[in-house]
Amino acid sequence: MEVKLLAEWMIALGVFWETVFQHPGAKWAGIVFSSMMIVMLVTFRHHWGDFVPHHLYSMIVLLFVAGFDYLSGVWWSLWIYLITLGVLHDRDSTKKTVLSTLLFFGVYTLLQYGFSISDSFSDVLNAFLLFLAMTLMTIYLRRARARTEKIKEQNRRLLEKVDEAHSRLHEYIEELEETSRRDYLTGLYNFSGFQEQVSKSLARCSVAGQYYYVICLDLVDFQQVNMKEGINAGDQMLVQIARLLKKKLPPYAQVARYDGDQFAIGLTGDDSAMRLCLDTIETVIGGLRTERSLMNYCIGTASYPMEAQNESELIRLAEHRLSIEQRRIRHQEEERRRHLEKLSAVGQLAAGLAHEIRNPLTSIRGFIQISAMESPEVKKWESIMLPEIDRINDLLKQFLHLSESRPARYTLFNVDRLIDDVFQLLQPKAILMGHELKSYAPTSPVIIEADAEQLKQVLINLVQNGLESLQDKGMVSVRWKEVRDRISIRIQDNGSGIPPEYMSRIFDPFFTTKGDGTGMGLSICHRIISEHGGQVHVTSQPGRGTTFNIHLPIRQAGKKEREQNQPEQETPALSKLNRSEVVERVNMLKNF
């Protein structure tokens, strides 16, 4: 029934076209128009097909193909049907393609043969076979295209995976390269990584006309930290220094660690950036110095482009200057060792001198007193001779303090009470001199194991020196606190300070800048602190004051071990030294 209606519709349409296109010009115009519409509909099928349902779009194309076939009457119109069918349904499903093939075949058969199919059965069969072949080819091409698209999609995914693998491999290589440029302990750059960063920075600075600085830092006492506190404590200290440097330095600064305890810093900027970096280093090391007494450092610097033209010259110059500082510090250590040897020799000499001088001095003092009672001539000189003899006796007492070799009596005591006793003893003198004594006690009491009398002697000496250095109305302050397993005591004054040329000699015996001084006080203090396993550091600025920093261990558990490891040195008894031995020791002292 539907086929009959379609046939009647096509016949009516043919009659309409035959009526309209009877004139030859109109007929050719219809052929050209149909051809153009077929080409446009087939060419833009993917664009226009989105606005028209697919089956309706196919009917419109078939209408113009049928019109072309009817008006032209050419024998090759069959190929127009076939090509249009194949192109139009290249992406449709098999069902739609088969239905469209039957429809195209039906229209072609009706227009070519009408209803007398039996008369041209062979031609109709050939046409059907061609339509069937085109349909099969279209289905095959569609499936081939689908497989091709699928393969392309798989290839695309494989390419994405390959690209992702390449990206991960590149990141892994970069991570390995970055790891090779980093220090395993602190995460800072190692030496080769630092050289690479300096080279890149110098390239940027040469273009921008900026300055670049390299600072090499060496921890002088790091080996002693490892020996006394262990390797783990040393590693923790290095990590802490690295973290503080990265935190406090500008973000554009490059920081490296190499050769165990050496750091290198590179930064871009002017002199103010350089000073900021040096102040930061002092702040970091100074903060750690409150926790550990063994914390000193030296630095070497170099600048680009004033002093070097490339990264190797720049780093080499900074390291050369660092080595100079290291040699200077080693020389100071040797001087300190010689100073200790000198103290030992002076102590033995003092013991002999005290024995040889005090006995006849006591006899002289007694004879003067007896003679003064019997002779008025001697009486008038008694007031001059006796004070001078007493002054000699006081000097001999200080010699004995320096040479005193009795073992320290270690006890547990409260440092707060000890410093209170020192203040009560010296407070009247400070008031008479018009100065102020001030103490800054910690929040909790500090208990230490030490010789209380010796430590009290050290504090009295240092506070008294501070009072004597004050001018006008000044102040001496004492601060102390417990830091881990050590105690830190700071004696600070705002007096006249110590001249720089005297700083290296203040702990030498007999060296003094006071008119009536003996030069024995600081030597005795240095000996006592050293025997307690501590250290004393001094900083001074002329006109601004002096600060003594004392670091002592809280407990003396390792004292016996140190005494066992030290070679035994016999100090002759005072009564066993004769004059020849004293002379020999005086001659030995002259060699220092």
Side-chain angles (χ1 to χ4, degrees), residues 177-378:
E177 291 178 351
E178 184 67 18
T179 303
S180 66
R181 292 192 293 265
R182 293 286 180 175
D183 174 50
Y184 73 96
L185 179 64
T186 61
L188 303 177
Y189 289 109
N190 55 25
F191 189 75
S192 60
F194 182 70
Q195 281 184 316
E196 183 178 345
Q197 294 300 316
V198 171
S199 178
K200 294 179 181 178
S201 299
L202 292 188
R204 292 192 296 267
C205 291
S206 63
V207 175
Q210 295 177 318
Y211 296 101
Y212 190 83
Y213 297 92
V214 169
I215 303 172
C216 293
L217 167 67
D218 178 51
L219 303 178
V220 178
D221 303 312
F222 182 73
Q223 291 183 354
Q224 297 184 31
V225 174
N226 278 338
M227 289 188 294
K228 291 191 174 183
E229 302 184 24
I231 296 178
N232 290 333
D235 290 345
Q236 291 177 4
M237 186 185 72
L238 293 175
V239 172
Q240 185 178 5
I241 293 175
R243 185 176 66 252
L244 292 175
L245 288 176
K246 290 294 292 183
K247 180 180 179 181
K248 295 181 178 296
L249 286 172
Y252 54 84
Q254 293 105 18
V255 186
R257 182 185 82 101
Y258 63 99
D259 289 347
D261 60 347
Q262 293 188 10
F263 291 83
I265 302 170
L267 76 161
T268 305
D270 52 10
D271 291 340
S272 60
M274 176 71 164
R275 288 192 296 270
L276 175 62
C277 182
L278 295 177
D279 292 341
T280 301
I281 293 174
E282 175 61 29
T283 301
V284 170
I285 304 299
L288 294 177
R289 190 179 287 128
T290 60
E291 301 179 5
R292 292 180 173 90
S293 60
L294 300 174
M295 184 57 62
N296 296 301
Y297 70 96
C298 59
I299 60 174
T301 63
S303 61
Y304 168 88
M306 294 86 71
E307 298 174 331
Q309 301 301 317
N310 54 58
E311 74 279 359
S312 59
E313 292 181 3
L314 189 63
I315 297 175
R316 192 183 306 115
L317 179 59
E319 286 193 320
H320 175 67
R321 291 175 175 173
L322 178 64
S323 64
I324 294 176
E325 284 294 309
Q326 290 171 335
R327 287 195 297 269
R328 183 184 63 83
I329 291 177
R330 283 196 297 268
H331 178 70
Q332 288 181 348
E333 289 296 323
E334 292 176 359
E335 288 294 325
R336 179 175 175 273
R337 179 181 56 80
R338 292 178 59 191
H339 171 74
L340 294 177
E341 293 176 355
K342 185 188 298 185
L343 284 179
S344 177
V346 169
Q348 296 181 20
L349 175 62
L353 288 176
H355 173 67
E356 293 296 328
I357 296 176
R358 290 188 73 182
N359 288 339
L361 193 65
T362 304
S363 301
I364 293 173
R365 195 178 195 283
F367 279 118
I368 290 176
Q369 290 176 331
I370 294 174
S371 299
M373 295 173 59
E374 297 178 352
S375 172
E377 294 295 330
V378 178

Side-chain angles (χ1 to χ4, degrees), residues 457-470:
Q457 180 183 355
V458 171
L459 294 175
I460 291 175
N461 200 326
L462 295 179
V463 174
Q464 187 167 301
N465 285 350
L467 289 173
E468 293 174 354
S469 69
L470 297 177

Side-chain angles (χ1 to χ4, degrees), residues 84-98:
T84 304
L85 176 64
V87 175
L88 194 63
H89 297 85
D90 60 340
R91 297 184 180 180
D92 291 340
S93 63
T94 302
K95 182 179 179 180
K96 289 182 180 181
T97 303
V98 171

Side-chain angles (χ1 to χ4, degrees), residues 107-144:
V107 172
Y108 172 75
T109 303
L110 289 175
L111 288 178
Q112 292 292 331
Y113 307 108
F115 292 99
S116 56
I117 299 176
S118 58
D119 298 337
S120 305
F121 181 77
S122 61
D123 293 338
V124 173
L125 181 60
N126 290 333
F128 177 76
L129 293 175
L130 288 174
F131 272 97
L132 180 61
M134 179 58 69
T135 300
L136 294 176
M137 185 181 296
T138 302
I139 294 173
Y140 175 77
L141 291 175
R142 180 180 58 78
R143 291 180 177 178

Side-chain angles (χ1 to χ4, degrees), residues 494-509:
N494 56 0
S496 57
I498 302 174
E501 59 270 20
Y502 295 158
M503 287 293 293
S504 61
R505 302 178 59 193
I506 58 174
F507 294 114
D508 289 346

